[in-house]
Amino acid sequence: MQKYSIFNLVKNAFSNHENWDLAWKDPTPKEEYDVVIIGGGGHGLATAYYLAKEHNITNVAIIEKGWIGGGNVGRNTTIIRSNYMHDENGLFSEFGMDLWRKMSQDLNYNVMFSPRGIINLAHSDAQMNAYARRGNSMRLNGIDAVLLNREQVKEIIPMADFSENVRFPIFGGLMQPSAGTARHDAVAWGYARQADSMGVDIIQNCEVTGFDVAAGKIKGIRTSRGNIKAKKVGICVAGSTNILAEKLNMTLPIETHLLQACVSEPVKPVLDNVVTFGAGHFYVSQSDKGEMVMGGDLDGYNSYAQRGNLPTLQHVLTEGIAMMPFLSKLKMLRTWGGIMDMSMDGSPIIDKTHIEGLYLNCGWCYGGFKATPASGWTFAHTIAQDRVHELNAGYSLNRFSTGKLIDEKGLGTKTWIS
Amino acid sequence: MLYINCPHCGMRSQNEFSYGGDASVKRPELNKEVSDQEWDDFVYNRKSLRGKHLELWQHISGCRQWIKVERDTATHEIFRTFKADEEVA
């Protein structure tokens, strides 16, 4: 593989950049693979990369219905954080933070990781207490957390509404300074390029139409480009999880919902951090191009349409304007939607299934992007070793029947229904 | 914007409704032994169909009745609406 470096950049400048190698190939599916990963999103690509890198398994195919990085990894708001209270989520995400910090070097691809810090605003004394508790839990797990009072928040984000007569005054906030953002497409492309260079076949425009299972064991998959035999199959398809589960006669604790995001016109640098509104569901950061990147609630009803409805967007942006009134002056540049695999406790599933050789990675809800490296790493381990790693042991499929839910927000089942 | 034909009030905008999930889910019968699996299916497991989906909505800013809506989850087209106790063929 051609290394990306300043020297190669200069060298290729002499030939008008016309002689760069393709970043990944476009192979025809082979008859058989050791491992087939269904889904060429961030998680699937990362899984293939760590299968090759950590477990030396390179006879691997990624089967993608559309094009790689065209799903949620290209549709998110690029936030990376590990500000979770529960051990399962905190330790898993903090492991991921380490991978994020090393990612650009590891992949020889600039993913533009920017640890700019995230601030969750608090709007009452009770919320400050809850944040103090969460911050303490984070610190016990080795995650950085700082509780900020009103004055400290004002120093960092003076453009927020600090006037007295507002419905949700800012009391303070919880900050994770090491959280941040990254360039989402680069993450997908970086993983794809490295996985491809180690022998992984990235097969795009190939839809999975069925599975071959015999005597409780996976034998292969059926696709729009023919049957492919496989010793092991990993499903990593986010909002399409239920569609594949139906082909396996499985019913999962997952519903597919639509989540929208939007960006404003680009403006000069105004916001250094990621900020979330604490009295609703709204988050904002500023991209390197200057756009304000915003998101919030789900549209609220089951949906496979990758486009949203205006009432939800209006609701979300009303919260945004309550938090930072200057946002009302900006013009909207783009809105888009992605389909989320919403699990019933708000936490993901990375586990084996009742079918031998079939593995499941789903339930990422609002937080799939930041989990990309840790999800790929633990899913690769689960597939290669045929057992879960301690980092994803809590993300089991049977926790719903055993009662070991990971209910981060304390909202019970169907955490998205408001 | 969705427009939902409330069987009690007529055509109203989505803003007046709140969503209640899959209407085909049945609570296990009372006074009967319920297995963990049955309870799991009732509380957590969902088919989350792509295409025609029968679902519950509540006309929360209107007559406050629960209703059933047959809607396409891929196109958002609404085909039919029913009163909550109406059997859907």
Side-chain angles (χ1 to χ4, degrees):
Chain A
M1 186 187 61
Q2 205 172 13
K3 198 168 156 49
Y4 289 165
S5 67
I6 183 79
F7 303 109
N8 265 327
L9 194 65
V10 172
K11 196 176 111 193
N12 278 280
F14 290 110
S15 51
N16 293 323
H17 296 290
E18 283 168 0
N19 296 322
W20 286 102
D21 291 348
L22 286 177
W24 51 85
K25 296 177 282 292
D26 183 21
T28 324
K30 286 193 275 187
E31 205 168 288
E32 181 168 8
Y33 290 94
D34 291 339
V35 179
V36 165
I37 306 291
I38 305 172
H43 291 219
L45 294 162
T47 303
Y49 169 69
Y50 291 113
L51 275 172
K53 185 185 174 223
E54 304 285 339
H55 306 280
N56 215 13
I57 300 173
T58 54
N59 186 20
V60 176
I62 292 172
I63 307 293
E64 166 56 46
K65 181 171 67 174
W67 64 96
I68 59 164
N72 294 344
V73 74
R75 293 167 183 267
N76 56 76
T77 47
T78 78
I79 298 167
I80 293 160
R81 59 189 175 83
S82 60
N83 53 356
Y84 288 99
M85 186 170 78
H86 287 312
D87 290 348
E88 292 91 342
N89 292 331
L91 295 171
F92 178 89
S93 305
E94 187 57 16
F95 176 78
M97 292 302 291
D98 268 339
L99 296 174
W100 278 112
R101 289 179 201 115
K102 294 182 279 196
M103 192 182 287
S104 289
Q105 284 72 28
D106 191 26
L107 298 180
N108 178 228
Y109 205 107
N110 185 5
V111 300
M112 297 163 75
F113 176 54
S114 163
R116 57 183 68 186
I118 186 168
I119 301 170
N120 301 131
L121 293 179
H123 306 276
S124 67
D125 281 328
Q127 204 167 16
M128 283 298 282
N129 289 342
Y131 281 173
R133 181 183 177 218
R134 173 143 66 98
N136 284 331
S137 301
M138 287 164 62
R139 291 169 74 130
L140 285 172
N141 280 332
I143 305 163
D144 56 327
V146 184
L147 194 64
L148 306 171
N149 62 29
R150 181 179 161 93
E151 291 312 310
Q152 289 167 314
V153 173
K154 197 171 180 178
E155 218 159 90
I156 302 171
I157 47 166
M159 76 298 279
D161 194 347
F162 285 92
S163 50
E164 298 294 332
N165 296 318
V166 289
R167 174 67 183 82
F168 300 108
I170 294 169
F171 275 57
L174 181 66
M175 184 172 190
Q176 185 192 2
S178 68
T181 60
R183 173 73 204 159
H184 52 190
D185 296 318
V187 175
W189 298 335
Y191 275 124
R193 177 168 159 267
Q194 286 290 347
D196 175 89
S197 79
M198 289 189 281
V200 173
D201 279 358
I202 298 172
I203 298 157
Q204 304 181 72
N205 298 310
C206 180
E207 183 171 358
V208 172
T209 54
F211 294 86
D212 286 319
V213 180
K217 197 173 177 332
I218 195 84
K219 297 290 178 194
I221 58 168
R222 287 171 228 161
T223 78
S224 55
R225 291 172 69 176
N227 294 353
I228 300 171
K229 287 187 211 146
K231 295 189 183 76
K232 294 177 175 181
V233 173
I235 297 177
C236 215
V237 294
S240 301
T241 303
N242 289 91
I243 297 173
L244 289 187
E246 196 190 350
K247 299 182 198 301
L248 290 157
N249 290 322
M250 287 169 76
T251 320
L252 297 173
I254 302 278
E255 265 184 22
T256 294
H257 282 253
L258 179 84
L259 181 61
Q260 295 190 74
C262 60
V263 294
S264 74
E265 59 184 326
V267 289
K268 286 189 176 178
V270 56
L271 181 62
D272 298 332
N273 318 90
V274 182
V275 182
T276 74
F277 184 54
H281 198 177
F282 172 82
Y283 42 87
V284 60
S285 64
Q286 189 169 20
S287 75
D288 294 319
K289 287 181 283 186
E291 303 150 335
M292 307 304 287
V293 186
M294 300 170 280
D297 278 318
L298 297 171
D299 272 29
Y301 42 83
N302 291 40
S303 176
Y304 284 91
Q306 284 175 313
R307 63 190 194 300
N309 247 330
L310 284 175
T312 306
L313 210 51
Q314 186 179 27
H315 168 73
V316 167
L317 293 173
T318 305
E319 297 175 36
I321 290 164
M323 185 175 94
M324 290 183 179
F326 83 96
L327 293 174
S328 71
K329 305 288 182 201
L330 299 180
K331 290 188 175 60
M332 183 90 79
L333 194 64
R334 285 195 307 281
T335 79
W336 65 92
I339 51 172
M340 308 293 123
D341 36 338
M342 301 301 296
S343 72
M344 293 284 162
D345 62 355
S347 298
I349 295 161
I350 308 177
D351 203 358
K352 299 162 64 169
T353 64
H354 68 283
I355 297 167
E356 198 185 328
L358 184 75
Y359 306 84
L360 190 62
N361 181 336
C362 62
W364 290 99
C365 302
Y366 303 93
F369 177 68
K370 64 151 194 302
T372 304
S375 163
W377 196 95
T378 52
F379 198 39
H381 181 279
T382 305
I383 294 170
Q385 313 278 334
D386 194 37
R387 63 186 162 85
V388 295
H389 189 269
E390 60 178 22
L391 283 168
N392 64 313
Y395 292 160
S396 62
L397 181 54
N398 72 0
R399 69 176 184 268
F400 298 91
S401 49
T402 59
K404 281 192 166 176
L405 301 186
I406 309 171
D407 188 3
E408 184 71 29
K409 294 204 161 167
L411 294 174
T413 55
K414 304 176 194 68
T415 50
W416 59 90
I417 287 183
S418 49
Chain B
M1 176 83 77
L2 300 181
Y3 285 95
I4 301 173
N5 190 11
C6 173
H8 306 281
C9 313
M11 196 66 91
R12 297 298 177 90
S13 96
Q14 162 196 350
N15 293 340
E16 295 186 12
F17 294 84
S18 111
Y19 183 65
D22 189 338
S24 68
V25 177
K26 290 259 187 307
R27 195 183 199 283
E29 300 269 328
L30 287 172
N31 305 322
K32 161 184 166 287
E33 193 66 30
V34 179
S35 70
D36 285 353
Q37 186 58 47
E38 280 176 283
W39 194 245
D40 212 21
D41 284 341
F42 168 62
V43 181
Y44 298 117
N45 292 336
R46 294 292 178 270
K47 291 203 175 86
S48 193
L49 300 173
R50 186 182 196 278
K52 265 190 191 175
H53 188 241
L54 190 68
E55 55 203 19
L56 292 168
W57 289 76
Q58 190 186 11
H59 195 183
I60 194 134
S61 305
C63 62
R64 301 192 65 81
Q65 294 291 316
W66 283 90
I67 61 168
K68 287 181 194 164
V69 176
E70 190 182 53
R71 185 180 61 94
D72 193 305
T73 56
T75 64
H76 294 171
E77 182 181 356
I78 292 172
F79 305 102
R80 294 182 294 173
T81 54
F82 308 87
K83 291 177 182 168
D85 56 357
E86 250 177 285
E87 279 304 317
V88 180

